[in-house]
Amino acid sequence: GMTGYGFDTQMQTNHLSHWLLASELFPVLAVGGARTGDARLVFHSSGVRNMIKKLDPKNLGKNGGNLGGNGTGMTGPRWARYNQTKLANIVCTYALADRVDAANVTAVKILCAEPGLATTNLQKTTHAQGGMGKGTIGCLFSMMGQSAEDGALPLLSAMTATDAKNGDFYLPKGGSSGPPVKIKKREKHCDDATNKKILVEKSIESLGVDIVVA
């Protein structure tokens, strides 16, 4: 779908709006971090970030409604666009974390989390819109899923863990479920220089604002 601003609905919801909000909030975070020693900006990705390896610049521009339609099932264009947004979240995290390090900003951390297979209303709406079959949902989440509350734990860890460092990424230990742990090494495609360049340049071009971390 397309928003009133001309962007893909999922990309505007899951990334572009976050970029815009972060551009406004960062000066406040810097002030708060200077006072308390610890301010954080936490993004939220998903396991589907690994379904693709490259960001497509078209998805970050005003091309809503012209990105392949919806289709049905998990291999259709709607899922492809969702996967783009979730890769964008972690690429954005690393791009901004690198900026923070380069600027020697120590009071603000940029982090990310992903919930694993958390049982929420997202599955209901996905099924209702033809994005995933009821049998697939039942099989996946009964065998590998966890509660919404447990799915929130990586996010809470990124927000509150006392040992959190700039650029940390929290996810369930088992991948789809389990207690939250930090990823040991940045995944190559999430830390890819070309992906980061596309993400930053297209976000600035589309929204007219940058996130200034100095």
Side-chain angles (χ1 to χ4, degrees):
M2 181 176 67
T3 70
Y5 296 96
F7 299 112
D8 173 67
T9 301
Q10 295 190 90
M11 187 60 78
Q12 180 173 314
T13 302
N14 291 349
H15 166 67
L16 291 171
S17 60
H18 300 184
W19 182 276
L20 183 60
L21 181 61
S23 72
E24 297 290 331
L25 284 180
F26 202 91
V28 180
L29 291 173
V31 171
R35 187 177 70 248
T36 66
D38 186 7
R40 305 182 188 190
L41 181 61
V42 182
F43 293 91
H44 205 229
S45 187
S46 163
V48 300
R49 71 189 181 280
N50 293 320
M51 299 293 289
I52 53 171
K53 300 301 180 183
K54 295 293 183 182
L55 286 176
D56 186 342
K58 295 195 302 293
N59 285 268
L60 291 153
K62 291 190 175 183
N63 298 303
N66 297 304
L67 295 170
N70 287 329
T72 58
M74 295 186 67
T75 59
R78 173 167 43 192
W79 270 98
R81 295 196 302 276
Y82 180 70
N83 299 346
Q84 286 279 323
T85 73
K86 294 291 105 179
L87 179 57
N89 292 144
I90 183 59
V91 171
C92 185
T93 299
Y94 290 151
L96 293 181
D98 291 348
R99 282 189 177 189
V100 164
D101 285 340
N104 198 31
V105 174
T106 59
V108 180
K109 301 179 182 72
I110 314 295
L111 304 102
C112 194
E114 71 118 313
L117 285 176
T119 306
T120 68
N121 282 334
L122 180 61
Q123 290 83 51
K124 294 180 181 178
T125 57
T126 301
H127 170 62
Q129 295 172 6
M132 185 185 293
K134 190 173 183 179
T136 301
I137 294 173
C139 181
L140 278 176
F141 286 86
S142 64
M143 295 176 62
M144 304 167 61
Q146 60 184 0
S147 68
E149 291 81 2
D150 286 342
L153 291 178
L155 180 60
L156 292 171
S157 296
M159 293 166 61
T160 64
T162 57
D163 64 342
K165 295 180 175 60
N166 182 47
D168 279 349
F169 183 17
Y170 289 83
L171 70 171
K173 185 176 182 179
S176 60
S177 61
V181 295
K182 296 181 189 181
I183 198 167
K184 293 181 179 179
K185 184 179 180 180
R186 291 185 180 187
E187 295 157 324
K188 185 176 180 180
H189 64 296
C190 298
D191 196 35
D192 178 74
T194 300
N195 280 339
K196 286 189 282 191
K197 185 174 186 291
I198 290 171
L199 185 287
V200 171
E201 290 183 355
K202 291 301 293 185
S203 297
I204 295 172
E205 177 186 321
S206 293
L207 297 170
V209 295
D210 196 1
I211 300 172
V212 180
V213 304

mmCIF file of all heavy atoms in Angstrom, residues 1-3 6-18 44 48 59-61 63-65 67 69-71 73 76-89 122 125-126 129 131:
data_model
loop_
_atom_site.group_PDB
_atom_site.id
_atom_site.type_symbol
_atom_site.label_atom_id
_atom_site.label_comp_id
_atom_site.label_asym_id
_atom_site.label_seq_id
_atom_site.Cartn_x
_atom_site.Cartn_y
_atom_site.Cartn_z
ATOM 1 N N GLY A 1 0.813 -1.196 0.000
ATOM 2 C CA GLY A 1 0.000 0.000 0.000
ATOM 3 C C GLY A 1 0.854 1.256 0.000
ATOM 4 O O GLY A 1 2.073 1.192 0.180
ATOM 5 N N MET A 2 0.233 2.385 -0.186
ATOM 6 C CA MET A 2 0.923 3.669 -0.236
ATOM 7 C C MET A 2 0.359 4.605 0.808
ATOM 8 O O MET A 2 -0.849 4.699 0.994
ATOM 9 C CB MET A 2 0.780 4.292 -1.631
ATOM 10 C CG MET A 2 1.491 5.634 -1.778
ATOM 11 S SD MET A 2 1.411 6.303 -3.471
ATOM 12 C CE MET A 2 -0.361 6.657 -3.614
ATOM 13 N N THR A 3 1.236 5.325 1.511
ATOM 14 C CA THR A 3 0.796 6.317 2.477
ATOM 15 C C THR A 3 0.456 7.622 1.775
ATOM 16 O O THR A 3 0.721 7.792 0.581
ATOM 17 C CB THR A 3 1.892 6.589 3.518
ATOM 18 O OG1 THR A 3 2.972 7.304 2.884
ATOM 19 C CG2 THR A 3 2.420 5.286 4.120
ATOM 20 N N GLY A 6 3.294 9.128 -0.089
ATOM 21 C CA GLY A 6 3.804 8.469 -1.283
ATOM 22 C C GLY A 6 4.750 7.312 -1.029
ATOM 23 O O GLY A 6 5.246 6.701 -1.976
ATOM 24 N N PHE A 7 4.999 6.980 0.251
ATOM 25 C CA PHE A 7 5.911 5.893 0.575
ATOM 26 C C PHE A 7 5.157 4.573 0.731
ATOM 27 O O PHE A 7 3.944 4.556 0.966
ATOM 28 C CB PHE A 7 6.653 6.196 1.878
ATOM 29 C CG PHE A 7 7.491 7.438 1.837
ATOM 30 C CD1 PHE A 7 7.142 8.556 2.593
ATOM 31 C CD2 PHE A 7 8.622 7.501 1.049
ATOM 32 C CE1 PHE A 7 7.910 9.708 2.568
ATOM 33 C CE2 PHE A 7 9.399 8.652 1.011
ATOM 34 C CZ PHE A 7 9.046 9.762 1.772
ATOM 35 N N ASP A 8 5.898 3.483 0.608
ATOM 36 C CA ASP A 8 5.326 2.184 0.938
ATOM 37 C C ASP A 8 4.895 2.190 2.395
ATOM 38 O O ASP A 8 5.631 2.655 3.279
ATOM 39 C CB ASP A 8 6.362 1.083 0.701
ATOM 40 C CG ASP A 8 5.882 -0.263 1.185
ATOM 41 O OD1 ASP A 8 4.923 -0.797 0.591
ATOM 42 O OD2 ASP A 8 6.462 -0.786 2.166
ATOM 43 N N THR A 9 3.705 1.668 2.668
ATOM 44 C CA THR A 9 3.150 1.711 4.020
ATOM 45 C C THR A 9 4.063 1.053 5.038
ATOM 46 O O THR A 9 4.293 1.589 6.135
ATOM 47 C CB THR A 9 1.774 1.026 4.043
ATOM 48 O OG1 THR A 9 0.903 1.690 3.132
ATOM 49 C CG2 THR A 9 1.170 1.060 5.433
ATOM 50 N N GLN A 10 4.591 -0.111 4.691
ATOM 51 C CA GLN A 10 5.428 -0.828 5.651
ATOM 52 C C GLN A 10 6.753 -0.108 5.905
ATOM 53 O O GLN A 10 7.206 -0.019 7.054
ATOM 54 C CB GLN A 10 5.692 -2.257 5.159
ATOM 55 C CG GLN A 10 4.440 -3.107 5.077
ATOM 56 C CD GLN A 10 4.747 -4.561 4.819
ATOM 57 O OE1 GLN A 10 4.917 -5.345 5.743
ATOM 58 N NE2 GLN A 10 4.843 -4.935 3.554
ATOM 59 N N MET A 11 7.366 0.418 4.857
ATOM 60 C CA MET A 11 8.642 1.103 5.040
ATOM 61 C C MET A 11 8.463 2.398 5.823
ATOM 62 O O MET A 11 9.301 2.739 6.673
ATOM 63 C CB MET A 11 9.303 1.379 3.691
ATOM 64 C CG MET A 11 10.721 1.951 3.800
ATOM 65 S SD MET A 11 11.887 0.872 4.675
ATOM 66 C CE MET A 11 12.253 -0.346 3.404
ATOM 67 N N GLN A 12 7.394 3.124 5.561
ATOM 68 C CA GLN A 12 7.167 4.346 6.331
ATOM 69 C C GLN A 12 6.908 4.021 7.795
ATOM 70 O O GLN A 12 7.436 4.694 8.695
ATOM 71 C CB GLN A 12 5.981 5.143 5.766
ATOM 72 C CG GLN A 12 5.712 6.430 6.562
ATOM 73 C CD GLN A 12 4.665 7.316 5.926
ATOM 74 O OE1 GLN A 12 4.688 7.552 4.718
ATOM 75 N NE2 GLN A 12 3.741 7.822 6.727
ATOM 76 N N THR A 13 6.128 2.982 8.040
ATOM 77 C CA THR A 13 5.800 2.611 9.420
ATOM 78 C C THR A 13 7.010 2.070 10.165
ATOM 79 O O THR A 13 7.259 2.440 11.322
ATOM 80 C CB THR A 13 4.683 1.553 9.430
ATOM 81 O OG1 THR A 13 3.534 2.065 8.764
ATOM 82 C CG2 THR A 13 4.316 1.150 10.850
ATOM 83 N N ASN A 14 7.772 1.194 9.524
ATOM 84 C CA ASN A 14 8.818 0.453 10.219
ATOM 85 C C ASN A 14 10.192 1.106 10.197
ATOM 86 O O ASN A 14 11.032 0.767 11.038
ATOM 87 C CB ASN A 14 8.937 -0.955 9.626
ATOM 88 C CG ASN A 14 7.732 -1.815 9.931
ATOM 89 O OD1 ASN A 14 6.892 -1.456 10.739
ATOM 90 N ND2 ASN A 14 7.643 -2.953 9.279
ATOM 91 N N HIS A 15 10.440 1.988 9.250
ATOM 92 C CA HIS A 15 11.761 2.639 9.235
ATOM 93 C C HIS A 15 11.717 4.151 9.087
ATOM 94 O O HIS A 15 12.276 4.868 9.917
ATOM 95 C CB HIS A 15 12.649 2.067 8.129
ATOM 96 C CG HIS A 15 13.849 2.943 7.883
ATOM 97 N ND1 HIS A 15 14.850 3.106 8.829
ATOM 98 C CD2 HIS A 15 14.189 3.768 6.826
ATOM 99 C CE1 HIS A 15 15.755 3.970 8.374
ATOM 100 N NE2 HIS A 15 15.377 4.388 7.167
ATOM 101 N N LEU A 16 11.085 4.670 8.027
ATOM 102 C CA LEU A 16 11.192 6.097 7.744
ATOM 103 C C LEU A 16 10.671 6.960 8.886
ATOM 104 O O LEU A 16 11.274 7.989 9.224
ATOM 105 C CB LEU A 16 10.455 6.422 6.441
ATOM 106 C CG LEU A 16 11.105 5.857 5.172
ATOM 107 C CD1 LEU A 16 10.177 6.050 3.971
ATOM 108 C CD2 LEU A 16 12.465 6.502 4.907
ATOM 109 N N SER A 17 9.582 6.552 9.496
ATOM 110 C CA SER A 17 9.055 7.325 10.632
ATOM 111 C C SER A 17 10.020 7.294 11.810
ATOM 112 O O SER A 17 10.137 8.269 12.559
ATOM 113 C CB SER A 17 7.690 6.776 11.056
ATOM 114 O OG SER A 17 7.786 5.414 11.441
ATOM 115 N N HIS A 18 10.740 6.185 11.969
ATOM 116 C CA HIS A 18 11.726 6.073 13.045
ATOM 117 C C HIS A 18 12.909 7.009 12.793
ATOM 118 O O HIS A 18 13.441 7.619 13.721
ATOM 119 C CB HIS A 18 12.232 4.629 13.157
ATOM 120 C CG HIS A 18 11.143 3.639 13.445
ATOM 121 N ND1 HIS A 18 11.410 2.304 13.664
ATOM 122 C CD2 HIS A 18 9.805 3.770 13.550
ATOM 123 C CE1 HIS A 18 10.283 1.661 13.894
ATOM 124 N NE2 HIS A 18 9.294 2.533 13.819
ATOM 125 N N HIS A 44 13.947 -1.957 16.384
ATOM 126 C CA HIS A 44 13.338 -3.285 16.530
ATOM 127 C C HIS A 44 13.319 -3.984 15.184
ATOM 128 O O HIS A 44 12.591 -3.590 14.279
ATOM 129 C CB HIS A 44 11.903 -3.129 17.063
ATOM 130 C CG HIS A 44 11.402 -4.316 17.800
ATOM 131 N ND1 HIS A 44 10.187 -4.892 17.551
ATOM 132 C CD2 HIS A 44 11.967 -5.047 18.791
ATOM 133 C CE1 HIS A 44 10.008 -5.927 18.366
ATOM 134 N NE2 HIS A 44 11.070 -6.040 19.122
ATOM 135 N N VAL A 48 13.303 -12.032 9.934
ATOM 136 C CA VAL A 48 13.184 -12.008 8.469
ATOM 137 C C VAL A 48 14.214 -11.084 7.824
ATOM 138 O O VAL A 48 14.316 -11.036 6.598
ATOM 139 C CB VAL A 48 11.758 -11.600 8.006
ATOM 140 C CG1 VAL A 48 10.717 -12.571 8.531
ATOM 141 C CG2 VAL A 48 11.433 -10.167 8.398
ATOM 142 N N ASN A 59 12.586 0.802 -2.357
ATOM 143 C CA ASN A 59 11.690 0.643 -1.215
ATOM 144 C C ASN A 59 11.757 1.806 -0.233
ATOM 145 O O ASN A 59 10.855 1.988 0.575
ATOM 146 C CB ASN A 59 12.006 -0.665 -0.482
ATOM 147 C CG ASN A 59 11.507 -1.886 -1.215
ATOM 148 O OD1 ASN A 59 10.419 -2.366 -0.999
ATOM 149 N ND2 ASN A 59 12.334 -2.386 -2.136
ATOM 150 N N LEU A 60 12.818 2.582 -0.312
ATOM 151 C CA LEU A 60 12.992 3.719 0.600
ATOM 152 C C LEU A 60 12.523 5.031 -0.012
ATOM 153 O O LEU A 60 12.522 6.059 0.665
ATOM 154 C CB LEU A 60 14.461 3.834 1.000
ATOM 155 C CG LEU A 60 14.972 2.709 1.910
ATOM 156 C CD1 LEU A 60 16.467 2.508 1.733
ATOM 157 C CD2 LEU A 60 14.630 2.986 3.354
ATOM 158 N N GLY A 61 12.123 4.997 -1.260
ATOM 159 C CA GLY A 61 11.678 6.211 -1.936
ATOM 160 C C GLY A 61 10.169 6.308 -2.042
ATOM 161 O O GLY A 61 9.426 5.481 -1.505
ATOM 162 N N ASN A 63 7.787 5.393 -3.806
ATOM 163 C CA ASN A 63 7.338 4.425 -4.802
ATOM 164 C C ASN A 63 6.204 3.555 -4.287
ATOM 165 O O ASN A 63 5.945 2.472 -4.816
ATOM 166 C CB ASN A 63 8.512 3.532 -5.222
ATOM 167 C CG ASN A 63 9.635 4.323 -5.860
ATOM 168 O OD1 ASN A 63 9.420 5.010 -6.847
ATOM 169 N ND2 ASN A 63 10.823 4.245 -5.274
ATOM 170 N N GLY A 64 5.528 4.006 -3.233
ATOM 171 C CA GLY A 64 4.431 3.231 -2.670
ATOM 172 C C GLY A 64 3.370 2.942 -3.717
ATOM 173 O O GLY A 64 2.996 3.817 -4.501
ATOM 174 N N GLY A 65 2.891 1.696 -3.751
ATOM 175 C CA GLY A 65 1.905 1.298 -4.732
ATOM 176 C C GLY A 65 2.513 0.816 -6.035
ATOM 177 O O GLY A 65 1.791 0.327 -6.913
ATOM 178 N N LEU A 67 5.455 -1.280 -6.079
ATOM 179 C CA LEU A 67 6.508 -2.191 -5.656
ATOM 180 C C LEU A 67 6.048 -3.643 -5.712
ATOM 181 O O LEU A 67 6.464 -4.471 -4.909
ATOM 182 C CB LEU A 67 6.969 -1.826 -4.237
ATOM 183 C CG LEU A 67 7.650 -0.456 -4.105
ATOM 184 C CD1 LEU A 67 7.838 -0.079 -2.635
ATOM 185 C CD2 LEU A 67 8.997 -0.444 -4.821
ATOM 186 N N GLY A 69 2.727 -4.910 -5.744
ATOM 187 C CA GLY A 69 1.432 -5.331 -5.202
ATOM 188 C C GLY A 69 1.599 -6.145 -3.933
ATOM 189 O O GLY A 69 2.632 -6.106 -3.266
ATOM 190 N N ASN A 70 0.554 -6.910 -3.586
ATOM 191 C CA ASN A 70 0.593 -7.679 -2.345
ATOM 192 C C ASN A 70 0.851 -9.160 -2.572
ATOM 193 O O ASN A 70 1.743 -9.745 -1.992
ATOM 194 C CB ASN A 70 -0.705 -7.487 -1.556
ATOM 195 C CG ASN A 70 -0.786 -6.109 -0.930
ATOM 196 O OD1 ASN A 70 0.228 -5.529 -0.571
ATOM 197 N ND2 ASN A 70 -1.988 -5.574 -0.807
ATOM 198 N N GLY A 71 0.064 -9.788 -3.427
ATOM 199 C CA GLY A 71 0.207 -11.222 -3.607
ATOM 200 C C GLY A 71 -0.264 -11.967 -2.369
ATOM 201 O O GLY A 71 -0.825 -11.392 -1.437
ATOM 202 N N GLY A 73 0.718 -15.400 0.454
ATOM 203 C CA GLY A 73 1.759 -16.280 0.948
ATOM 204 C C GLY A 73 3.031 -15.538 1.306
ATOM 205 O O GLY A 73 3.191 -14.340 1.047
ATOM 206 N N GLY A 76 5.439 -13.728 -1.482
ATOM 207 C CA GLY A 76 4.916 -12.654 -2.312
ATOM 208 C C GLY A 76 5.603 -11.326 -2.057
ATOM 209 O O GLY A 76 6.415 -11.178 -1.136
ATOM 210 N N PRO A 77 5.282 -10.318 -2.863
ATOM 211 C CA PRO A 77 5.930 -9.010 -2.763
ATOM 212 C C PRO A 77 5.650 -8.276 -1.451
ATOM 213 O O PRO A 77 6.479 -7.478 -1.012
ATOM 214 C CB PRO A 77 5.365 -8.238 -3.962
ATOM 215 C CG PRO A 77 4.119 -8.972 -4.354
ATOM 216 C CD PRO A 77 4.368 -10.399 -4.014
ATOM 217 N N ARG A 78 4.496 -8.538 -0.827
ATOM 218 C CA ARG A 78 4.226 -7.881 0.459
ATOM 219 C C ARG A 78 5.254 -8.306 1.504
ATOM 220 O O ARG A 78 5.776 -7.479 2.251
ATOM 221 C CB ARG A 78 2.808 -8.226 0.939
ATOM 222 C CG ARG A 78 2.522 -7.721 2.351
ATOM 223 C CD ARG A 78 1.065 -7.789 2.704
ATOM 224 N NE ARG A 78 0.441 -9.030 2.289
ATOM 225 C CZ ARG A 78 -0.873 -9.228 2.281
ATOM 226 N NH1 ARG A 78 -1.689 -8.247 2.633
ATOM 227 N NH2 ARG A 78 -1.377 -10.385 1.912
ATOM 228 N N TRP A 79 5.546 -9.621 1.544
ATOM 229 C CA TRP A 79 6.560 -10.110 2.479
ATOM 230 C C TRP A 79 7.944 -9.598 2.100
ATOM 231 O O TRP A 79 8.767 -9.297 2.976
ATOM 232 C CB TRP A 79 6.549 -11.633 2.537
ATOM 233 C CG TRP A 79 5.612 -12.163 3.575
ATOM 234 C CD1 TRP A 79 4.344 -12.617 3.381
ATOM 235 C CD2 TRP A 79 5.865 -12.284 4.977
ATOM 236 N NE1 TRP A 79 3.786 -13.018 4.575
ATOM 237 C CE2 TRP A 79 4.704 -12.825 5.563
ATOM 238 C CE3 TRP A 79 6.948 -11.987 5.782
ATOM 239 C CZ2 TRP A 79 4.594 -13.074 6.935
ATOM 240 C CZ3 TRP A 79 6.852 -12.239 7.153
ATOM 241 C CH2 TRP A 79 5.687 -12.766 7.708
ATOM 242 N N ALA A 80 8.221 -9.512 0.817
ATOM 243 C CA ALA A 80 9.521 -8.998 0.377
ATOM 244 C C ALA A 80 9.734 -7.581 0.889
ATOM 245 O O ALA A 80 10.844 -7.214 1.318
ATOM 246 C CB ALA A 80 9.625 -9.046 -1.141
ATOM 247 N N ARG A 81 8.684 -6.767 0.851
ATOM 248 C CA ARG A 81 8.802 -5.391 1.353
ATOM 249 C C ARG A 81 8.959 -5.380 2.872
ATOM 250 O O ARG A 81 9.713 -4.563 3.418
ATOM 251 C CB ARG A 81 7.574 -4.576 0.925
ATOM 252 C CG ARG A 81 7.467 -4.393 -0.579
ATOM 253 C CD ARG A 81 6.493 -3.289 -0.952
ATOM 254 N NE ARG A 81 5.147 -3.494 -0.448
ATOM 255 C CZ ARG A 81 4.221 -4.234 -1.040
ATOM 256 N NH1 ARG A 81 4.497 -4.865 -2.176
ATOM 257 N NH2 ARG A 81 3.014 -4.362 -0.522
ATOM 258 N N TYR A 82 8.249 -6.265 3.552
ATOM 259 C CA TYR A 82 8.398 -6.356 5.012
ATOM 260 C C TYR A 82 9.832 -6.741 5.369
ATOM 261 O O TYR A 82 10.446 -6.165 6.283
ATOM 262 C CB TYR A 82 7.414 -7.379 5.582
ATOM 263 C CG TYR A 82 7.508 -7.538 7.083
ATOM 264 C CD1 TYR A 82 7.099 -6.530 7.943
ATOM 265 C CD2 TYR A 82 8.004 -8.719 7.640
ATOM 266 C CE1 TYR A 82 7.181 -6.683 9.324
ATOM 267 C CE2 TYR A 82 8.084 -8.881 9.019
ATOM 268 C CZ TYR A 82 7.671 -7.862 9.852
ATOM 269 O OH TYR A 82 7.764 -8.021 11.221
ATOM 270 N N ASN A 83 10.381 -7.713 4.645
ATOM 271 C CA ASN A 83 11.760 -8.124 4.891
ATOM 272 C C ASN A 83 12.719 -6.948 4.708
ATOM 273 O O ASN A 83 13.690 -6.796 5.470
ATOM 274 C CB ASN A 83 12.151 -9.252 3.936
ATOM 275 C CG ASN A 83 11.300 -10.496 4.102
ATOM 276 O OD1 ASN A 83 10.582 -10.651 5.091
ATOM 277 N ND2 ASN A 83 11.347 -11.389 3.121
ATOM 278 N N GLN A 84 12.451 -6.119 3.700
ATOM 279 C CA GLN A 84 13.272 -4.924 3.489
ATOM 280 C C GLN A 84 13.241 -4.009 4.709
ATOM 281 O O GLN A 84 14.273 -3.463 5.119
ATOM 282 C CB GLN A 84 12.780 -4.168 2.252
ATOM 283 C CG GLN A 84 13.129 -4.801 0.913
ATOM 284 C CD GLN A 84 14.548 -4.501 0.470
ATOM 285 O OE1 GLN A 84 15.064 -3.402 0.689
ATOM 286 N NE2 GLN A 84 15.183 -5.467 -0.168
ATOM 287 N N THR A 85 12.062 -3.835 5.288
ATOM 288 C CA THR A 85 11.959 -2.924 6.435
ATOM 289 C C THR A 85 12.719 -3.451 7.640
ATOM 290 O O THR A 85 13.326 -2.676 8.397
ATOM 291 C CB THR A 85 10.490 -2.673 6.842
ATOM 292 O OG1 THR A 85 9.929 -3.829 7.482
ATOM 293 C CG2 THR A 85 9.639 -2.280 5.648
ATOM 294 N N LYS A 86 12.709 -4.758 7.835
ATOM 295 C CA LYS A 86 13.375 -5.325 9.008
ATOM 296 C C LYS A 86 14.888 -5.374 8.835
ATOM 297 O O LYS A 86 15.631 -5.238 9.816
ATOM 298 C CB LYS A 86 12.805 -6.713 9.308
ATOM 299 C CG LYS A 86 11.339 -6.696 9.730
ATOM 300 C CD LYS A 86 11.148 -6.058 11.095
ATOM 301 C CE LYS A 86 10.579 -4.678 11.094
ATOM 302 N NZ LYS A 86 10.402 -4.119 12.451
ATOM 303 N N LEU A 87 15.352 -5.546 7.584
ATOM 304 C CA LEU A 87 16.784 -5.384 7.333
ATOM 305 C C LEU A 87 17.171 -3.923 7.536
ATOM 306 O O LEU A 87 18.224 -3.623 8.106
ATOM 307 C CB LEU A 87 17.142 -5.843 5.921
ATOM 308 C CG LEU A 87 18.617 -5.696 5.517
ATOM 309 C CD1 LEU A 87 19.545 -6.436 6.478
ATOM 310 C CD2 LEU A 87 18.836 -6.177 4.083
ATOM 311 N N ALA A 88 16.305 -3.013 7.106
ATOM 312 C CA ALA A 88 16.575 -1.582 7.292
ATOM 313 C C ALA A 88 16.764 -1.238 8.759
ATOM 314 O O ALA A 88 17.622 -0.406 9.106
ATOM 315 C CB ALA A 88 15.446 -0.742 6.685
ATOM 316 N N ASN A 89 16.002 -1.855 9.647
ATOM 317 C CA ASN A 89 16.103 -1.543 11.072
ATOM 318 C C ASN A 89 17.488 -1.845 11.642
ATOM 319 O O ASN A 89 18.062 -1.035 12.374
ATOM 320 C CB ASN A 89 15.056 -2.312 11.872
ATOM 321 C CG ASN A 89 13.638 -1.879 11.608
ATOM 322 O OD1 ASN A 89 12.721 -2.697 11.596
ATOM 323 N ND2 ASN A 89 13.424 -0.585 11.375
ATOM 324 N N LEU A 122 -0.190 -9.728 15.376
ATOM 325 C CA LEU A 122 0.373 -9.602 14.036
ATOM 326 C C LEU A 122 0.050 -10.824 13.191
ATOM 327 O O LEU A 122 -0.235 -10.704 11.992
ATOM 328 C CB LEU A 122 1.888 -9.399 14.117
ATOM 329 C CG LEU A 122 2.631 -9.257 12.790
ATOM 330 C CD1 LEU A 122 2.130 -8.040 12.017
ATOM 331 C CD2 LEU A 122 4.138 -9.155 13.029
ATOM 332 N N THR A 125 -3.630 -10.575 11.917
ATOM 333 C CA THR A 125 -3.828 -9.638 10.806
ATOM 334 C C THR A 125 -3.138 -10.138 9.539
ATOM 335 O O THR A 125 -3.654 -9.949 8.437
ATOM 336 C CB THR A 125 -3.304 -8.244 11.173
ATOM 337 O OG1 THR A 125 -1.917 -8.332 11.540
ATOM 338 C CG2 THR A 125 -4.072 -7.658 12.358
ATOM 339 N N THR A 126 -1.986 -10.784 9.703
ATOM 340 C CA THR A 126 -1.287 -11.330 8.538
ATOM 341 C C THR A 126 -2.129 -12.402 7.862
ATOM 342 O O THR A 126 -2.248 -12.436 6.628
ATOM 343 C CB THR A 126 0.072 -11.918 8.955
ATOM 344 O OG1 THR A 126 0.871 -10.890 9.554
ATOM 345 C CG2 THR A 126 0.816 -12.482 7.748
ATOM 346 N N GLN A 129 -5.182 -10.928 6.049
ATOM 347 C CA GLN A 129 -4.852 -10.224 4.814
ATOM 348 C C GLN A 129 -4.228 -11.141 3.762
ATOM 349 O O GLN A 129 -3.781 -10.669 2.717
ATOM 350 C CB GLN A 129 -3.901 -9.068 5.126
ATOM 351 C CG GLN A 129 -4.542 -7.989 6.001
ATOM 352 C CD GLN A 129 -3.544 -6.956 6.474
ATOM 353 O OE1 GLN A 129 -2.379 -6.951 6.086
ATOM 354 N NE2 GLN A 129 -4.001 -6.059 7.340
ATOM 355 N N GLY A 131 -1.517 -13.059 4.047
ATOM 356 C CA GLY A 131 -0.061 -13.118 4.038
ATOM 357 C C GLY A 131 0.532 -14.405 4.566
ATOM 358 O O GLY A 131 1.705 -14.690 4.335
#
